[in-house]
Amino acid sequence: MVVLPAILIQAIAGEDTCRWVARYPLWENQGESTLMPVLVRSVLWDDVDDFGAQLSNWTVRPLQLTSGALRVGFSTLAFEDLAVSRLDCNQQLADHLCMDPSWLLIVVQLTPQRWNSCEAPPSSVAVIAPGSDYRSMIFKDFRCVEVAVRVDLAEAIGLGSLCRLTGAEAIHPLPPGTTRIAERRVTQLLDPTQTNVLLGMSDDAEQAVRERCVELLRYLSAAISLARQVQDGLEARLRTQRFDLVQAALRLIDAAPPHEQPSVTDLARVLGTTRRTLLNAFVDALGTTPSRYILARRLHSARQVLRNGRSPSVTVAALDQGFEHLGRFSQHYQTLFGELPSRTLQRSHRLRMGDSTASAPAALERLG
C-alpha cells in the first residue's frame, strides 16, 4: 500500500490566510496549495460562516447559538488513509454533518457533545459511521481528540464492526484513565517539534509515526469493545425517540416561510405531543429550546443576506425574516453576533466598493 507523505496542520482561529490542503475527510480546502511534504500552518476564523466554509463535507453550515467572537483551534496529522486530530471551540454551535461514506471517525470527548439525541459526556467516545447523518451540538469551551480512518484500512486491521455502529449504540463511556492516555498520545503526535522532525528524516521514520497512529486506533477500538459489553441500551432508545420528535419538528420549521414560523404550541399540536415533551426533546437533542433555535435560524438568514449584499437595507432584511419590531431585531442580532446589523451591512458595502474600485482600471484598459 502506498502512503502519501504526512502533513501536520495546526489551524487556530485568528488569521485570515488559508492556503493549505489537509487530506482529512471533513476538513478540506480546495484552494491553491503551497505545502511542502511537512509543514505547520495556521488559519484564523472569526465568523461561524467562514469556519463552516472550510468544512467541505458538511451539508449545512454550523449555527452559532451563543454570542461573542468565534475561536476555533484545530490541528491534524493526516496520512492518505488515517488522520489524528484535535479540535476546540469557545462557542456553542449546532451543525448538520453527513459523514463521508469512505471514512470512519472516532471522537474522544474531553467535554460534552450531543450527536443527534445522544449525549456524549466527558470521558466518552463517539463512533461516527461511514455515510451517517448527524445533527451535532457542541457547547462552550468544547474540546475533543479524533481519529479518522478510511474504511479499507479499518477493515484490514479488524475494525470493520465499528463501521456499522449507529445512533445511541455508537456512544460509549470510557474510564477517565483511558481518556487521559488517548489525549496524551494525540498531544504527542501533534507536537510539531517532535513529529515534523521525524517525518523529515526518512521513509522509515514516517512509517513509524503512522504506526503510532494505528496503535492509537487499536487502543481506542479495544476500549470501545469493552464499553459495548457493559453499556445499557434502555436510555439510548428513549433518546432516539426524542430525536425522532425533534427531526419531525425541524422538518416543519424548515418548510415554513420565515414570516410564518410555527410556535412551540403549534408544533406540539401538529406532532401530537405536549409542549413540555417537545421542549425537553429539543433541549436534550440540540441543547436549546425550539423558540431559541428558530430565532437563531432567522437571525443567521438575515446576517447572510446583509453580508452578501443581497438586501438594500437592514429594514428589508429584518422584514424578510419576519421581524416586525426593528429595535428588537437589532437587539437580538447584536446579542448573538456582537455587532449591530447596520455594521454588518456597512462592512459589506465597503467590501463591494473595494472590489469595484479594484476592477475599474482593468475595465478601462479593456475599453482602451
Side-chain angles (χ1 to χ4, degrees):
M1 178 178 60
V2 178
V3 178
L4 296 180
I7 299 176
L8 178 61
I9 302 219
Q10 289 185 329
I12 303 173
E15 301 175 8
D16 56 4
T17 59
C18 185
R19 304 184 70 78
W20 49 263
V21 175
R23 288 185 299 277
Y24 183 65
L26 307 179
W27 197 277
E28 187 173 23
N29 188 324
Q30 301 298 332
E32 178 184 355
S33 172
T34 58
L35 284 181
M36 298 296 288
V38 180
L39 285 177
V40 176
R41 288 295 175 94
S42 296
V43 182
L44 170 63
W45 301 281
D46 58 5
D47 183 276
V48 69
D49 292 325
D50 295 335
F51 167 59
Q54 305 303 317
L55 307 178
S56 61
N57 288 330
W58 290 29
T59 59
V60 177
R61 291 188 175 188
L63 191 68
Q64 182 178 339
L65 298 177
T66 53
S67 59
L70 178 71
R71 181 173 180 82
V72 175
F74 180 85
S75 59
T76 184
L77 172 62
F79 295 86
E80 182 185 43
D81 55 0
L82 180 65
V84 176
S85 308
R86 180 176 58 233
L87 173 67
D88 61 83
C89 180
N90 70 331
Q91 297 293 347
Q92 182 176 346
L93 299 180
D95 58 62
H96 184 188
L97 167 65
C98 292
M99 188 65 188
D100 189 302
S102 61
W103 284 83
L104 169 72
L105 180 64
I106 299 176
V107 182
V108 179
Q109 309 288 167
L110 306 179
T111 58
Q113 184 173 5
R114 286 196 179 98
W115 295 95
N116 286 351
S117 62
C118 305
E119 178 81 19
S123 193
S124 67
V125 61
V127 181
I128 311 305
S132 56
D133 186 307
Y134 278 92
R135 288 188 182 268
S136 174
M137 168 68 64
I138 65 173
F139 301 94
K140 297 188 70 170
D141 300 321
F142 170 78
R143 295 185 302 119
C144 75
V145 295
E146 305 173 346
V147 181
V149 56
R150 210 168 59 191
V151 171
D152 55 352
L153 176 59
E155 297 281 359
I157 61 178
L159 306 181
S161 61
L162 297 184
C163 297
R164 293 178 283 278
L165 296 180
T166 59
E169 66 176 353
I171 297 177
H172 306 280
L174 294 178
T178 301
T179 303
R180 287 193 294 270
I181 290 172
E183 182 182 15
R184 183 168 66 248
R185 290 188 180 183
V186 171
T187 299
Q188 292 170 349
L189 285 166
L190 297 180
D191 183 353
T193 62
Q194 298 182 29
T195 300
N196 276 0
V197 173
L198 290 172
L199 293 173
M201 292 175 60
S202 66
D203 292 342
D204 289 342
E206 181 177 320
Q207 187 61 36
V209 173
R210 182 178 179 278
E211 185 57 34
R212 288 170 59 193
C213 297
V214 173
E215 286 302 319
L216 171 63
L217 184 60
R218 289 196 176 102
Y219 176 77
L220 292 175
S221 176
I224 293 169
S225 297
L226 179 61
R228 290 178 65 189
Q229 296 174 13
V230 299
Q231 190 168 16
D232 184 3
L234 180 61
E235 183 179 355
R237 287 193 293 272
L238 176 60
R239 289 184 181 276
T240 299
Q241 294 172 0
R242 289 181 175 177
F243 177 71
D244 290 342
L245 179 62
V246 171
Q247 282 280 61
L250 292 177
R251 285 193 289 269
L252 293 174
I253 293 170
D254 292 341
H259 56 282
E260 296 180 3
Q261 288 291 295
S263 67
V264 179
T265 301
D266 292 337
L267 287 171
R269 184 179 64 255
V270 172
L271 296 172
T273 187
T274 66
R275 191 174 186 275
R276 178 178 293 277
T277 298
L278 183 59
L279 285 170
N280 290 338
F282 257 81
V283 172
D284 183 51
L286 297 179
T288 189
T289 65
S291 298
R292 284 188 60 200
Y293 180 89
I294 292 172
L295 175 61
R297 186 174 180 274
R298 293 163 62 203
L299 289 169
H300 271 269
S301 295
R303 180 173 175 81
Q304 287 175 356
V305 298
L306 290 173
R307 291 184 67 199
N308 296 335
R310 296 199 302 267
S311 177
S313 68
V314 171
T315 299
V316 172
L319 293 176
D320 285 347
Q321 295 303 317
F323 293 98
E324 298 180 355
H325 194 294
L326 298 183
R328 194 169 297 145
F329 164 72
S330 295
Q331 181 181 8
H332 288 315
Y333 190 101
Q334 185 175 28
T335 299
L336 183 57
F337 299 117
E339 66 177 9
L340 290 169
S342 57
R343 175 68 174 170
T344 304
L345 184 60
Q346 290 170 5
R347 186 166 60 252
S348 173
H349 286 165
R350 285 199 301 270
L351 289 173
R352 293 205 312 278
M353 289 294 293
D355 292 342
S356 300
T357 302
S359 62
L364 291 175
E365 183 177 348
R366 288 194 299 270
L367 291 173

